[in-house]
Amino acid sequence: QEVDLLPLTETLVRVALKVFQPPVIGALAGLIIASFPRLRGVLENIYGDDVKTAPLKWLFDGIYSVGQAAVPINMTILGINLSSTFQKKKSKPDSVILPNSTMASVVVGKMVIMPLIGVFSTWFLQKYYIDIPDEIDSTVFLVMMIVFICPTANNVMVMVELSGSGSKEGMARLIGWQYFVSPVVLSFVLAAVVHIATALDKQNKL
């Protein structure tokens, strides 16, 4: 029996269009450029002022200046979608807003359970797999765990907005919940993570 490749191709194209949003493309492009010093040297002066200048530094400076507006724009989009979830008028038929109990569970999973997974993963890798130099071990342990404890980045809101999905109001409320509890929860979690990173550092030096 022959396999119809056309629906599979269309599915892959749709998945690619959903996945490769502008923030993702920008991050991948930055990763590729930074991986090749000669290519990076065309945009940024990495050799020092006395050696040679980057021919396209003016272009990089312009893009960098525009990129500095990303955070305010992200927060504006988040605020607009968050406010629309509390409007008295009826929600759009295609909007997706999760129940409060489900959102609370997601917040607990992201802000409490995920840090526990990060701490255990860091301890397990340090114990059995990773041999980190003493000069940077505490910093590495801290960075490895911090990845797990931060709330969902607000640029996810931009990706949802660009995808045209009906879940943007629900995602805005979910991110808003995480930011609401972050000052309290993140303070305790970050203090615990710093303490654990220090303990792992001392244990690694024994």
Side-chain angles (χ1 to χ4, degrees):
Q1 184 178 2
E2 294 184 359
V3 180
D4 190 0
L5 296 179
L6 185 57
L8 177 61
T9 305
E10 291 181 354
T11 301
L12 293 177
V13 171
R14 289 182 180 180
V15 171
L17 292 176
K18 293 290 185 181
V19 172
F20 293 103
Q21 298 292 334
V24 177
I25 296 175
L28 292 176
L31 182 62
I32 293 173
I33 292 175
S35 300
F36 299 94
R38 290 190 177 182
L39 183 58
R40 183 185 175 195
V42 175
L43 297 172
E44 180 63 33
N45 186 10
I46 61 175
Y47 302 104
D49 296 333
D50 298 332
V51 182
K52 58 181 178 180
T53 59
L56 296 181
K57 183 170 174 55
W58 58 271
L59 178 62
F60 175 80
D61 291 340
I63 295 175
Y64 180 78
S65 298
V66 174
Q68 287 182 318
V71 174
I73 291 174
N74 291 348
M75 297 304 295
T76 302
I77 294 175
L78 177 62
I80 291 173
N81 287 298
L82 185 60
S83 64
S84 66
T85 65
F86 296 100
Q87 289 179 354
K88 294 182 179 179
K89 64 181 183 179
K90 207 170 185 179
S91 299
K92 296 179 181 179
D94 60 342
S95 62
V96 179
I97 299 180
L98 298 174
N100 290 336
S101 58
T102 303
M103 289 193 177
S105 300
V106 173
V107 171
V108 171
K110 186 68 179 73
M111 303 300 295
V112 178
I113 297 178
M114 283 296 293
L116 294 176
I117 295 175
V119 170
F120 176 77
S121 303
T122 303
W123 172 83
F124 183 80
L125 292 173
Q126 181 267 343
K127 186 75 173 178
Y128 297 103
Y129 288 100
I130 299 180
D131 185 17
I132 302 174
D134 294 340
E135 294 80 9
I136 61 171
D137 52 359
S138 59
T139 304
V140 172
F141 296 144
L142 182 61
V143 171
M144 289 173 65
M145 289 185 285
I146 281 182
V147 172
F148 289 87
I149 72 175
C150 296
T152 302
N154 55 20
N155 58 359
V156 173
M157 196 64 245
V158 179
M159 298 172 66
V160 176
E161 184 77 26
L162 293 174
S163 68
S165 174
S167 61
K168 58 184 180 180
E169 289 87 0
M171 180 60 69
R173 182 178 290 188
L174 183 58
I175 295 176
W177 274 45
Q178 293 182 42
Y179 285 4
F180 179 76
V181 302
S182 288
V184 177
V185 176
L186 200 57
S187 299
F188 289 101
V189 174
L190 185 58
V193 164
V194 172
H195 175 74
I196 294 171
T198 304
L200 290 175
D201 179 30
K202 294 179 180 178
Q203 182 180 352
N204 196 45
K205 292 178 180 179
L206 293 179

